Amino acid sequence: MNELLFILYLIWVCILGSLFTTLGQPGLYTFSVLCAWMANLCVLKQVVLFGFTCTCADPLVLGIFLSLNILQEHYGEEAVNQCMLLIFSSLLAMSSLVIFHLAFIPGHTDTTQGAYTQLLSPTPRLFLAGLVSLYCSQKVASVCFYWLKEHSTLSFNIRNFLVLSTSQFIDTGLFTLSGLYGLVDNCFHVFFISMLLKFVFILTLSTFMPLLYKKNYDVSL
């Protein structure tokens, strides 16, 4: 059942990404920030996929990097930097708001403090780990994407596949160690299944991207 839900989740992220892309640059900014928030909030939920214990936030992480690659392809490095700044500032702001929210003493009729504490207490650590891993992996992605664009004749789809695969290996490794160590049952399982699913997703998305984005950009192979 989880495997089917995960496939549907991947498809839905693709559909949402294509819809936000029709809004142009603001839509890509919004989708990136939305995915960043949701990925950091949802990453603690552990599920069993194909016999491995892992998290189910990988499609959201790929949504961020896909949006950044499309921004770099069609709007340039400055647009990517602006989007990264939006992601960083929004995650930092959200972390500070969470601290205030948890500090309030709940009323005697409140029944949600325990749930909020369990869900949001690791948020500052997760957000900080997410920022570090995203920054490092995106810098690598930007360099690779620019080099491939300037020194090769590969199409956007192929460049996107190569860059996403490299950046996701870095991002997944850094975030698993810095953000999830001690919070999940098995970090190796999380890293292994996360990379496997991301690779399949990237390959599928690169194959069908012309169908998703042909109304807005020329990304045909």
Side-chain angles (χ1 to χ4, degrees):
M1 183 62 179
N2 277 348
E3 289 78 9
L4 176 60
L5 284 174
F6 193 82
I7 293 172
L8 294 175
Y9 192 18
L10 293 176
I11 295 173
W12 183 237
V13 170
C14 290
I15 293 174
L16 284 180
S18 63
L19 292 175
F20 274 95
T21 302
T22 63
L23 300 176
Q25 195 168 342
L28 289 166
Y29 286 170
T30 303
F31 187 64
S32 297
V33 173
L34 176 63
C35 286
W37 288 358
M38 290 301 298
N40 283 277
L41 285 175
C42 298
V43 72
L44 288 178
K45 182 171 182 176
Q46 299 179 64
V47 299
V48 176
L49 291 173
F50 308 103
F52 291 92
T53 301
C54 60
T55 68
C56 51
D58 295 324
L60 296 168
V61 177
L62 288 173
I64 301 172
F65 282 89
L66 176 61
S67 299
L68 293 174
N69 283 353
I70 294 175
L71 280 170
Q72 182 159 347
E73 174 74 7
H74 298 282
Y75 299 103
E77 186 69 23
E78 182 62 28
V80 174
N81 292 335
Q82 289 179 351
C83 187
M84 293 284 287
L85 180 61
L86 283 173
I87 294 174
F88 289 171
S89 58
S90 64
L91 288 179
L92 289 174
M94 195 169 180
S95 296
S96 65
L97 295 174
V98 163
I99 294 174
F100 278 101
H101 183 78
L102 294 178
F104 280 105
I105 300 175
H108 67 279
T109 59
D110 179 76
T111 60
T112 63
Q113 178 67 10
Y116 277 123
T117 300
Q118 184 176 8
L119 178 63
L120 298 179
S121 290
T123 295
R125 172 189 170 182
L126 292 175
F127 281 12
L128 180 60
L131 291 175
V132 172
S133 59
L134 178 61
Y135 177 81
C136 294
S137 55
Q138 180 54 32
K139 283 300 180 182
V140 172
S142 294
V143 172
C144 293
F145 199 92
Y146 176 81
W147 190 91
L148 289 174
K149 185 176 182 179
E150 295 296 319
H151 298 88
S152 74
T153 58
L154 299 175
S155 70
F156 172 74
N157 286 352
I158 298 177
R159 284 183 278 122
N160 184 65
F161 171 78
L162 294 174
V163 172
L164 277 179
S165 298
T166 303
S167 63
Q168 284 310 293
F169 183 84
I170 297 172
D171 179 76
T172 304
L174 287 176
F175 185 78
T176 300
L177 290 176
S178 60
L180 298 180
Y181 183 79
L183 297 178
V184 296
D185 182 60
N186 191 313
C187 284
F188 175 76
H189 282 189
V190 171
F191 176 80
F192 175 76
I193 197 66
S194 178
M195 281 307 306
L196 178 62
L197 293 173
K198 284 179 178 180
F199 180 79
V200 173
F201 181 51
I202 293 169
L203 181 61
T204 304
L205 189 61
S206 298
T207 303
F208 292 101
M209 190 179 291
L211 299 178
L212 294 174
Y213 300 107
K214 64 181 180 180
K215 292 182 180 180
N216 305 285
Y217 308 113
D218 179 15
V219 293
S220 57
L221 288 171

